[in-house]
Amino acid sequence: STQSNGQLVNMTKAPTHAILKSGPHKQFEVIVPPKELLMKDIRDQIPDKYFKRDMVKGFMYVARDILQSAVTIAFMYYGVLPMLEKTDEMGTVVSYLSRFVAWNAFWFLQGLNWTGLWVMAHECGHQSFSDYRLVNDTVGWFLHSFLMVPYHSWRISHGTHHKNCNHLTKDTVFIPTAKSAILTETIQESPIGTLWGILLMLTVGWPAYLVSNIAGQDYGRRASHFEPSSPIFRPADASDVVVSDIGVGVTLAAVIASIYSFGFVNVYCWYLAPYLWVNAWLVYITYLQHSDIRLPHYTADEWTFVRGGLATMDRNYGDTFGWFLHHINDSHVVHHLFSQMPFYNAIEVTRKHCREIFGDMYQVTDRSMFGSVWESWRECRYVIPKEGVMIYRK
């Protein structure tokens, strides 16, 4: 933005951003915001009301997700399971098929419910849940511990990610492979290889990142979200890491005790399978927010906070998924720029102001969910640091 006679002028009216081309046929546009664009230019165009946090509303959303989870369990236990017992009289094939469909539907739905809780804990980590840090950290610790996420440890590394989004050497997650030059042959992968890679990412990607920093920044030595001495953290963070470890440890102990008391199958059906769906959802969502052929990465000389924040992708999965996911998928650009803005306001700013403020610099797509991850996995293979403003290549 600039000021003209005391009036705010929309910053997208002038040709202030660069456009690069990416893709095998240069068919994709990569928008590079101007270095001169400041956070104040953006903040001045967003009404103050959207930055207000409402603790009561935050607790209402947490209660909603817990209620949805409880209703899902009750419906499965008291409604569906008795019906499944009656299918035993219809033969083995019908019985097994009925159970397969019913349980997978339950796991999918409960995974969405718990992903909503994960998002609320994420809100707490950004201090956007309420005006009170103690409330935020207490709620966030309980919710993330239930889902075996080390709350403070991830809060710290995730905060570093927000401060350095798409900075090649300072970002903390989904760091692209760096090459010294364009490869003479494109990286080819069979469809089976692509499916296998995506499956591994969605199943073990999240715990692998937490435990051993897979897809994270290279610190030159071992890095883990569970070790106070990890290079991810400062020495002052040690006590928060220990508190986080205790939360995960308590939940893990409860899972092991439940397996001993009720058997592995019961624990898998009622907790572990939905937990795996949560892991899949959060990796899927975050991977596609930051991995797209249209999104640039930057070296230190080219990076700015605004450039990093705008190098993310909003993805519209429809109103139903947006409801369950608290719109973490389609309000991510605003969230990256203003992480302390509550999610229920971030989606309003996204819908009412993003196009007007950013113009072509706002990245959004409603491509199919499977098509998006397939494209990103196959097209986003490496970057070349000497380019400064880096585009994905394959």
Side-chain angles (χ1 to χ4, degrees), residues 247-311:
V248 174
V250 169
T251 300
L252 188 59
V255 169
I256 295 172
S258 297
I259 292 173
Y260 181 80
S261 300
F262 305 109
F264 176 80
V265 173
N266 272 321
V267 176
Y268 178 83
C269 288
W270 295 104
Y271 178 81
L272 291 177
Y275 161 78
L276 292 174
W277 264 110
V278 174
N279 292 356
W281 270 115
L282 67 93
V283 171
Y284 174 87
I285 293 166
T286 54
Y287 173 72
L288 287 180
Q289 286 167 341
H290 298 287
S291 304
D292 191 279
I293 193 69
R294 304 158 190 82
L295 299 179
H297 281 74
Y298 301 95
T299 56
D301 291 340
E302 294 291 344
W303 184 90
T304 68
F305 182 84
V306 173
R307 278 184 164 183
L310 289 175

Side-chain angles (χ1 to χ4, degrees), residues 325-371:
L325 302 175
H326 299 300
H327 295 286
I328 193 175
N329 53 296
D330 55 349
S331 63
H332 194 66
V333 172
V334 171
H335 169 68
H336 247 279
L337 294 170
F338 304 102
S339 60
Q340 290 190 335
M341 180 186 292
F343 78 89
Y344 44 83
N345 290 338
I347 188 60
E348 291 296 314
V349 172
T350 298
R351 290 170 173 171
K352 297 178 180 179
H353 299 284
C354 266
R355 282 294 186 193
E356 176 185 346
I357 294 175
F358 301 120
D360 291 341
M361 291 185 291
Y362 173 56
Q363 297 283 5
V364 61
T365 181
D366 57 1
R367 292 194 67 224
S368 72
M369 298 176 72
F370 180 76

Side-chain angles (χ1 to χ4, degrees), residues 198-219:
I198 293 172
L199 180 63
L200 282 178
M201 177 180 70
L202 296 180
T203 53
V204 301
W206 175 239
Y209 171 66
L210 292 178
V211 173
S212 57
N213 197 42
I214 295 297
Q217 188 61 249
D218 182 7
Y219 297 100

Side-chain angles (χ1 to χ4, degrees), residues 19-294:
I19 300 178
L20 305 178
K21 294 290 186 178
S22 65
H25 305 293
K26 305 297 182 183
Q27 69 271 40
F28 301 110
E29 290 190 348
V30 179
I31 308 298
V32 183
K35 270 189 171 182
E36 298 76 17
L37 181 56
L38 303 176
M39 283 294 293
K40 184 179 185 302
D41 298 326
I42 303 169
R43 174 62 180 87
D44 287 346
Q45 299 189 70
I46 301 175
D48 291 340
K49 64 179 182 179
Y50 292 117
F51 293 88
K52 295 179 180 178
R53 297 168 287 191
D54 188 332
M55 183 174 65
V56 174
K57 185 176 288 188
F59 273 113
M60 287 178 63
Y61 278 108
V62 170
R64 188 203 77 177
D65 291 340
I66 293 174
L67 179 61
Q68 287 174 184
S69 176
V71 169
T72 302
I73 291 172
F75 182 74
M76 185 68 183
Y77 188 82
Y78 294 107
V80 177
L81 292 186
M83 294 175 61
L84 292 177
E85 292 179 1
K86 295 180 181 179
T87 63
D88 293 339
E89 304 171 0
M90 302 178 186
T92 303
V93 174
V94 174
S95 178
Y96 275 104
L97 184 60
S98 299
R99 282 172 166 75
F100 177 83
V101 172
W103 277 111
N104 275 279
F106 169 77
W107 296 334
F108 178 77
L109 180 58
Q110 193 69 309
L112 282 172
N113 290 330
W114 291 0
T115 302
L117 289 173
W118 187 97
V119 173
M120 293 310 301
H122 163 262
E123 288 277 298
C124 292
H126 282 294
Q127 306 303 313
S128 59
F129 183 82
S130 77
D131 293 329
Y132 308 100
R133 175 172 287 274
L134 179 61
V135 172
N136 298 335
D137 288 344
T138 301
V139 173
W141 183 86
F142 274 103
L143 294 180
H144 263 172
S145 295
F146 169 70
L147 298 169
M148 289 196 282
V149 178
Y151 169 73
H152 286 293
S153 305
W154 185 74
R155 171 183 64 79
I156 293 166
S157 71
H158 186 62
T160 303
H161 158 66
H162 266 258
K163 294 173 185 175
N164 302 279
C165 183
N166 281 37
H167 189 301
L168 187 61
T169 58
K170 291 185 177 181
D171 203 351
T172 60
V173 67
F174 298 122
I175 309 302
T177 300
K179 301 289 185 182
S180 59
I182 298 175
L183 300 182
T184 56
E185 295 183 4
T186 59
I187 299 175
Q188 297 292 343
E189 187 175 63
S190 69
I192 294 297
T194 298
L195 284 173
W196 177 245
I198 293 172
L199 180 63
L200 282 178
M201 177 180 70
L202 296 180
T203 53
V204 301
W206 175 239
Y209 171 66
L210 292 178
V211 173
S212 57
N213 197 42
I214 295 297
Q217 188 61 249
D218 182 7
Y219 297 100
R221 64 185 179 93
R222 187 177 69 183
S224 171
H225 282 76
F226 295 96
E227 298 176 13
S229 61
S230 171
I232 297 172
F233 310 114
R234 305 167 303 163
D237 298 326
S239 60
D240 281 340
V241 177
V242 171
V243 170
S244 303
D245 291 349
I246 291 172
V248 174
V250 169
T251 300
L252 188 59
V255 169
I256 295 172
S258 297
I259 292 173
Y260 181 80
S261 300
F262 305 109
F264 176 80
V265 173
N266 272 321
V267 176
Y268 178 83
C269 288
W270 295 104
Y271 178 81
L272 291 177
Y275 161 78
L276 292 174
W277 264 110
V278 174
N279 292 356
W281 270 115
L282 67 93
V283 171
Y284 174 87
I285 293 166
T286 54
Y287 173 72
L288 287 180
Q289 286 167 341
H290 298 287
S291 304
D292 191 279
I293 193 69
R294 304 158 190 82

